[in-house]
Amino acid sequence: MPKKKEPLIRVLLSKEEIEKRVALLGQEISKKYFNLEEPLILVGILKGSVIFLSDLCRAISLPVELEFMGVSSYGDETESSGVVQITQDLTRPIKGRHVLLVEDIVDTGLTAKYLLKHFRTCEPASVAMCSLLEKPGKSNGEILIDFLGFSIPDDFVVGYGLDFAGIYRNLPYVGIVETST
Ligand code: 5GP
């Protein structure tokens, strides 16, 4: 049987660049929340933020709790469907707690906007947003990212948690899928 042709992935952010940036983000977050009385709650958005969150939480020198939420907004497509649906909710109340939403990428900002609104109805002490990546200009400045890893061009990226049709999440770098002719 002929072997399926593998798509070419052009490295956009190397493993080393990501490691350095995540370490700095951890320091920034630790500095901002240094005097909390209770652990900071990091809420990772499944599945894309899992790899980033696992590195980020180890770069934070404060007690943290981990929570996860499942949302679907993209399916297997590379264009936003515009509809955000919660498929898995938090397992504990966040009332009165400091919450940091951890995203893999902010594209149109629809998902982040929806989730931040959802969290605020749960009356946390504060909600902030951390995203590894952002495609600038696409959310019309509506989303404030308190802790940002990298601004990237408006290309579809994979790796370091980000997938295309379910694969590439385990790449140690972020890359652009090149469509071969
Ligand atoms: P938004 O609601 O900001 O348009 O999109 C957020 C979600 O869309 C991300 O959490 C991610 O799952 C998906 N997404 C947006 N851009 C990309 C991309 O370039 N690559 C991948 N793999 N997913 C993306």
Side-chain angles (χ1 to χ4, degrees):
M1 214 169 41
K3 211 173 160 234
K4 216 174 132 192
K5 214 172 164 193
E6 291 292 326
L8 208 67
I9 297 171
R10 180 163 53 86
V11 178
L12 180 67
L13 301 166
S14 70
K15 181 174 179 275
E16 292 72 25
E17 282 175 278
I18 296 172
E19 271 170 12
K20 273 191 203 151
R21 191 70 195 111
V22 171
L24 286 174
L25 283 174
Q27 285 173 20
E28 273 180 52
I29 292 167
S30 308
K31 215 164 141 186
K32 166 89 193 276
Y33 293 100
F34 80 98
N35 59 354
L36 293 194
E37 282 171 14
E38 287 185 282
L40 175 65
I41 302 181
L42 302 179
V43 181
I45 308 307
L46 297 169
K47 300 171 188 167
S49 74
V50 165
I51 310 283
F52 173 44
L53 179 65
S54 71
D55 285 341
L56 182 71
C57 71
R58 285 174 291 171
I60 298 174
S61 56
L62 303 169
V64 298
E65 288 175 23
L66 300 184
E67 281 287 320
F68 294 93
M69 281 189 75
V71 298
S72 73
S73 61
Y74 258 68
D76 282 350
E77 305 297 324
T78 57
E79 288 292 315
S80 174
S81 65
V83 180
V84 180
Q85 196 191 355
I86 295 183
T87 55
Q88 183 180 317
D89 212 338
L90 302 173
T91 60
R92 64 182 75 189
I94 56 169
K95 189 171 178 175
R97 301 289 300 275
H98 293 271
V99 175
L100 182 61
L101 174 62
V102 180
E103 265 279 30
D104 50 358
I105 184 164
V106 173
D107 183 8
T108 62
L110 256 167
T111 311
K113 192 175 165 187
Y114 181 88
L115 288 172
L116 290 170
K117 200 170 154 199
H118 174 77
F119 287 156
R120 285 190 184 111
T121 63
C122 305
E123 300 176 40
S126 74
V127 188
M129 165 94 193
C130 175
S131 183
L132 176 71
L133 307 171
E134 175 206 34
K135 294 178 184 170
K138 293 196 72 186
S139 73
N140 301 321
E142 275 193 74
I143 297 298
L144 175 72
I145 304 175
D146 304 270
F147 307 96
L148 173 67
F150 303 91
S151 287
I152 60 164
D154 189 10
D155 288 307
F156 191 80
V157 291
V158 295
Y160 199 66
L162 290 137
D163 75 313
F164 176 61
I167 56 170
Y168 302 121
R169 293 194 198 276
N170 60 331
L171 294 177
Y173 55 86
V174 170
I176 298 170
V177 184
E178 309 257 277
T179 39
S180 55
T181 46

